Amino acid sequence: MKRFSQWSPLTYKLAVEKNIVQRKVKDALSGTRFACKRQTEPLPHLIYAHNSLIRRTLGQVDPRLQDNKAVSLGLAAPCVDGILIAPGETFSFWHYLGKATKRKGYREGLVIHRHTFGRGIGGGLCQMANMIHWLVLHTPLEVTELHHHSDALFPDVKRRVPFGTGTS
């Protein structure tokens, strides 16, 4: 039997909105303390660093989706840049970003959904979430919530991200 979210594009959107409201209520009732202190100057010690290509050749994928992803990542970066996580505080990528919408300037990029590729506003933001998660795995921080892609197989040379790091 199909889930409600699988009936149509409208029911999918309704299910997403329901989950967003549920998340906000859960966070409010649980007393989750989100990290809010920001620091503009670099910290004194670099423990780990990594780079990831923003634009790459992806087979038959429209290259404009890669350009759009770069724009969306440029909008998202200041939302999370400089956040300091103190003991007892939580970092949530989507808490800081909010909803990626056209109105905010996010563009249509490549999305992975149900083992297929498509287009969606903010598509490609998972690359930043993946990077943050991968970096967190190299720290003593505790991951309290993680949402995987339906599949971590990408359309360029059948590349797979390491297990446990492909986030949506």
Side-chain angles (χ1 to χ4, degrees), residues 18 22 28 83 139 164:
K18 176 202 68 134
Q22 280 180 326
I83 293 176
T139 73

Side-chain angles (χ1 to χ4, degrees), residues 49-67:
H50 184 71
N51 290 315
S52 180
L53 292 174
I54 301 300
R55 291 176 179 87
R56 53 174 87 236
T57 303
L58 300 174
Q60 302 298 321
V61 175
D62 183 347
R64 289 177 294 184
L65 296 179
Q66 292 290 301
D67 293 334

Side-chain angles (χ1 to χ4, degrees), residues 18-37:
K18 176 202 68 134
N19 286 333
I20 290 170
V21 170
Q22 280 180 326
R23 163 63 54 203
K24 288 181 179 182
V25 169
K26 179 183 172 198
D27 288 343
L29 294 177
S30 70
T32 300
R33 288 184 20 233
F34 290 100
C36 59
K37 185 177 179 186

